[in-house]
Amino acid sequence: MKIIDLRSDTVTRPTPEMKKAMCDAPLGDDVFGEDPTVNRLEKMAAGKTGKEAALFTPSGTMSNLLSVLSQTRPGDEIILGSEAHILWYEVGGASAVGGVVMRAVPNQPDGTIYLADIKDAIRGSNLHFPPTRLICLENTHNRCGGAVLSPSYTAGVANLARMRGIKVHLDGARLFNACVALGVSAKELCQGMDTVSFCLSKGLSAPAGSLLCSDQETINRARKFRKMLGGGMRQAGVLAACGIVALETMIERLALDHAMAKTLAEGLFDIDNHTLDKQIVQTNIVIFNPPFGLGADEFLEQAKQAGLLFTMGSHGRVRAVCHHDLSEADIQTALRRIAAMKKA
C-alpha cells in the first residue's frame, strides 16, 4: 500500500535538477561573504521581494527570529495574531532569545487582524508600558488554512504602522503560494513591509533554507545575529543552489498544489459536508473537521492505518497540505480510503 503523505509541504524532496545544482555549485565561505552561490541566491531574493538586501538562513524560524532581534531591543513589545506561527510553533524564541513581549490580538478566519484591533494594541508613551516596536503578519496564514492576505490589507497595516513609527515584518513562509493565488508579484505583496521572510523548503521543494529580506542596514544586523545563533553555514552554496532552482522553476507550478487542495476539499465535503466549507480553500492547505463524528486523534490513527498521513490542525481539526511529491491520483486515492473508513 502506497503511503500518501499529506502532513506538510516540508516533506518534499529536492528535484533532480536541484541535486545536479548541488554538485555543480561554485562554493566559498559564506561567513566571510565568499560563497558565490549564496550571494547569487540572496540577490535573487532581494530582487523578487523589492528589498535592498537578503540573508540566507537555515530555516524560517530563524529568519523570523532574526527579524525580531534586528528590529527590537529586550523589553520591547511586538504585536502579532493569535494564530501566528511565531506565537505557536517557534518555541517562544522572540521572548526567550529576544526578550520581547509577544502581544497576541485576534486573527480573523481569513488570516487578517482587524486594523482597529492593531491600533488598540499599540502602546502609548507611558512609564509603565513596554514600547511597541514591531507588527508581525503572516502570508499565507498557516493556522487559518492557507489564507491569503491581499496587497490592500498589508498596505493598510503598513500605513498604520508608519504613522506610529512601528516596523512591520511579514512571515511569508509560503509567500509564493499567495502570489500564485492572487496573480500578483512578490514585490507587490511585500510593499511597505520592513522585513520579509520566505521559505525554500516548503512548496518550493528545496531541502532546507529561508531568506530574510530588508534594507541593507537591517540585514547587516541580522547577519550578526545569525552568527550568534549558530546559523553561519560556511559552504552553504550546496543548499543555496537548490534555492536558486526553486525560485527559477518551482513557483508557477504551485498552482497545481492549489488545484489538488481544492479537489481534496471538494471530495471531503462530498464524503461528509460537516468537514469544511470547501469555498474557503485558497492555496495548498486544507484544514477540516474529522468526518463521521470522529475525534481528531481517532481520525489520524485510522487514516494512518489506511496509509494516509495528516497532522493535527488548529482547534481540534485535521490539517492536510498538498505539495510537489503528490499527484491528483494520490488525492483521489486518499479520498477513496477516507470514504472507506466509514464502512469499516
Side-chain angles (χ1 to χ4, degrees), residues 29-35 234:
D29 191 321
D30 180 48
V31 174
F32 292 137
E34 296 174 354
D35 190 300
R234 303 300 177 179

Side-chain angles (χ1 to χ4, degrees), residues 12-75:
T12 53
R13 293 159 296 181
T15 65
E17 187 178 357
M18 290 178 186
K19 293 177 181 179
K20 182 178 186 303
M22 293 175 78
C23 295
D24 297 342
L27 303 177
D29 191 321
D30 180 48
V31 174
F32 292 137
E34 296 174 354
D35 190 300
T37 308
V38 172
N39 293 342
R40 182 184 168 199
L41 173 63
E42 291 175 343
K43 186 176 181 179
M44 289 177 66
K48 282 191 173 294
T49 55
K51 303 305 177 187
E52 188 178 10
L55 179 67
F56 185 46
T57 75
S59 69
T61 294
M62 183 178 283
S63 281
N64 286 338
L65 180 56
L66 293 178
S67 172
V68 173
L69 293 175
S70 60
Q71 298 182 100
T72 64
R73 294 182 300 180

Side-chain angles (χ1 to χ4, degrees), residues 223-293:
R223 188 178 296 275
K224 188 156 187 159
F225 283 119
R226 185 188 70 170
K227 177 62 177 171
M228 180 190 296
L229 296 171
M233 297 182 288
R234 303 300 177 179
Q235 287 73 37
V238 291
L239 293 174
C242 296
I244 291 170
V245 173
L247 292 179
E248 289 178 338
T249 68
M250 300 299 288
I251 293 174
E252 291 184 4
R253 66 146 308 280
L254 292 172
L256 301 176
D257 298 342
H258 299 178
M260 284 191 286
K262 287 180 171 56
T263 298
L264 178 62
E266 290 168 358
L268 288 167
F269 182 86
D270 290 342
I271 290 168
D272 183 341
N273 61 15
H274 293 97
T275 52
L276 79 168
D277 177 356
K278 61 184 178 181
Q279 302 301 322
I280 66 173
V281 175
Q282 295 178 278
T283 55
N284 66 324
I285 299 176
V286 181
I287 296 182
F288 60 95
N289 297 312
F292 318 132

Side-chain angles (χ1 to χ4, degrees), residues 109-131:
D110 64 357
T112 63
I113 309 168
Y114 287 147
L115 293 185
D117 289 342
I118 296 175
K119 187 175 181 180
D120 287 346
I122 295 172
R123 301 282 191 173
S125 180
N126 188 297
L127 176 69
H128 303 86
F129 297 162

